[in-house]
Amino acid sequence: MLKGSPERELKEFLKAVRLEFEGEGQVLYELGRKRGVVDSESKLAPAPIVECRDLVKRFDSFAAVDGISVTVNQGESFGFLGPNGAGKTSTMRMISCMSPASEGYLRVLGQDPETHGPEIRSRLGLVPQEDTLELELSLLDNLLIYGRYFDLPKKEILQRADRLLDFAQLTDRKHDKVDLLSGGMRRRLTIARALISEPDLLILDEPTTGLDPQARHLLWDRLYRLKSDGVTLIITTHYMDEAEQLCDRLVVMDHGHIVAEGAPRQLIEDHSTPEVLELRFGNVGHEEYSAGFEDLAERIEVLPDRLLLYVHDGDEVLSAVHSRGHTPERSLVRRSTLEDVFLVLTGRTLVD
């Protein structure tokens, strides 16, 4: 069936299969390697943990997710950043095999959710937006019950529970009822519960929504430990600082579409300036001030309560504003963030 040099033909065939079906290509590559006809330079990268192309989720005529394409690699911390209603949760529900896709290609852990949903779910850890803990049971009992869903022996669950409660800094509360915990403690317990099966992929949907700053930062520390340990994370959030802290790469979503993709710092460099000067002139229309500053900034955004001047040197531009006889009630020079990227790309803030 193969013509010409068998080695050359097999290499070309494996290359073509890899490009189209990476999981199956990996199997063929191993066969070729064992036969000695594939050298080390032909080594395939690990198959993606999640791969979707032109993925769509419709609710009647409304497209909550409208043709997105994403690849999440093994050991990566990948983020979906966008405001409420952007399509983040609908995407997570498809990836976690809780809701079928309307159209498009989706593979999770190398399998099709439509035909291998139970197998995929057995290898996932899920942290939903709303806690689903048993409030009248103890922390330890919550982990025991959840572990039994995965047919784990009780002895193994107890060993894992001790490790995970220590990881979540909840060991001293293990016999307390969940109802007595603070919001931050419940979120840490929910993450510990999601890890009881030692999943290949941990999905966190808005993990810190509603938490105070101290609880958020403690949760970030726990997630950063998982990231450092090589756990593959998918995180949805509308907090720009959370995405910058935790994500190796991310997509920015708006109205069901992906408007940008890349590493957080690269996105900022590509779509914004190093610094932003914020000017507030009190209870007046800020539009009238913007025309006088157009030559000072690469871009100006007029918000209801302030002007944003995208500049390279904020202090220098602020001095120029003062030299023109303008004295803002408040001014702030800060570095550009993902919030600015979203504003530049969509004309809206993440909290619209």
Side-chain angles (χ1 to χ4, degrees):
M1 189 176 297
L2 294 175
K3 299 179 181 180
S5 167
E7 292 83 1
R8 180 178 179 182
E9 292 287 345
L10 182 56
K11 289 180 183 179
E12 290 298 320
F13 174 68
L14 291 177
K15 181 179 179 181
V17 171
R18 177 184 64 186
L19 293 175
E20 187 64 26
F21 303 102
E22 191 165 20
E24 290 86 343
Q26 184 72 43
V27 174
L28 292 174
Y29 162 76
E30 292 296 336
L31 291 173
R33 183 182 60 80
K34 290 177 181 178
R35 290 176 58 184
V37 297
V38 179
D39 57 31
S40 59
E41 293 181 356
S42 302
K43 185 177 181 179
L44 301 179
I49 294 293
V50 175
E51 184 177 16
C52 63
R53 295 195 296 269
D54 303 319
L55 192 64
V56 175
K57 180 62 182 181
R58 288 195 182 91
F59 297 95
D60 295 326
S61 61
F62 173 68
V65 180
D66 197 3
I68 68 170
S69 297
V70 167
T71 299
V72 180
N73 298 313
Q74 186 174 344
E76 187 172 36
S77 180
F78 192 92
F80 287 80
L81 177 68
N84 293 332
K88 306 186 304 297
T89 296
S90 294
T91 302
M92 292 305 98
R93 287 179 60 83
M94 288 187 283
I95 291 174
S96 57
C97 307
M98 298 174 62
S99 178
S102 302
E103 294 178 21
Y105 173 92
L106 176 61
R107 293 293 182 271
V108 181
L109 300 169
Q111 296 180 302
D112 184 348
E114 285 194 14
T115 57
H116 294 82
E119 294 94 325
I120 295 172
R121 285 192 292 270
S122 71
R123 299 170 61 190
L124 297 181
L126 181 62
V127 179
Q129 281 192 38
E130 302 294 333
D131 290 328
T132 56
L133 301 165
E134 296 293 337
L135 301 183
E136 294 301 314
L137 298 180
S138 70
L139 281 66
L140 181 59
D141 285 341
N142 267 268
L143 296 182
L144 280 170
I145 291 172
Y146 197 73
R148 293 300 295 160
Y149 289 140
F150 297 93
D151 293 325
L152 296 171
K154 183 177 180 179
K155 182 178 179 181
E156 178 65 22
I157 298 173
L158 287 171
Q159 292 174 348
R160 294 185 185 186
D162 284 341
R163 293 196 301 268
L164 290 170
L165 289 170
D166 179 65
F167 162 80
Q169 296 183 331
L170 292 171
T171 299
D172 59 337
R173 306 294 299 271
K174 65 188 294 184
H175 296 298
D176 291 348
K177 288 185 177 181
V178 171
D179 195 36
L180 301 176
L181 300 182
S182 66
M185 290 178 177
R186 291 186 189 185
R187 292 308 276 168
R188 297 196 321 259
L189 179 60
T190 299
I191 292 174
R193 186 186 66 175
L195 294 169
I196 198 74
S197 63
E198 298 182 350
D200 296 310
L201 170 62
L202 181 62
I203 298 174
L204 304 106
D205 193 6
E206 303 282 2
T208 65
T209 296
L211 300 185
D212 61 69
Q214 183 178 3
R216 286 182 68 209
H217 283 276
L218 182 56
L219 191 59
W220 287 359
D221 178 69
R222 300 298 91 184
L223 294 178
Y224 194 79
R225 268 189 58 183
L226 292 175
K227 178 176 177 290
S228 299
D229 290 341
V231 176
T232 304
L233 306 175
I234 295 181
I235 303 168
T236 74
T237 182
H238 60 268
Y239 293 125
M240 57 187 176
D241 51 349
E242 185 162 273
E244 287 187 53
Q245 288 284 336
L246 297 175
C247 298
D248 300 313
R249 288 191 305 125
L250 59 86
V251 292
V252 181
M253 291 191 70
D254 186 39
H255 295 307
H257 297 275
I258 291 174
V259 296
E261 179 177 359
R265 180 47 49 185
Q266 189 62 51
L267 286 174
I268 293 170
E269 292 177 0
D270 290 345
H271 298 284
S272 189
T273 53
E275 293 186 343
V276 178
L277 172 61
E278 297 191 5
L279 300 175
R280 300 174 188 262
F281 289 96
N283 297 322
V284 296
H286 286 77
E287 184 75 42
E288 62 186 83
Y289 287 95
S290 63
F293 302 143
E294 287 181 351
D295 60 320
L296 299 179
E298 290 192 11
R299 180 184 177 90
I300 297 178
E301 291 287 347
V302 182
L303 301 183
D305 61 338
R306 63 194 186 278
L307 282 178
L308 302 182
L309 277 64
Y310 291 89
V311 299
H312 288 270
D313 189 328
D315 291 325
E316 181 180 312
V317 173
L318 180 58
S319 297
V321 169
H322 287 148
S323 69
R324 296 183 181 187
H326 299 289
T327 306
E329 286 189 0
R330 293 174 57 191
S331 62
L332 172 67
V333 176
R334 59 171 175 80
R335 71 178 183 88
S336 289
T337 67
L338 289 170
E339 174 87 23
D340 299 300
V341 171
F342 188 82
L343 181 61
V344 167
L345 293 172
T346 69
R348 303 188 299 118
T349 65
L350 280 167
V351 294
D352 276 355

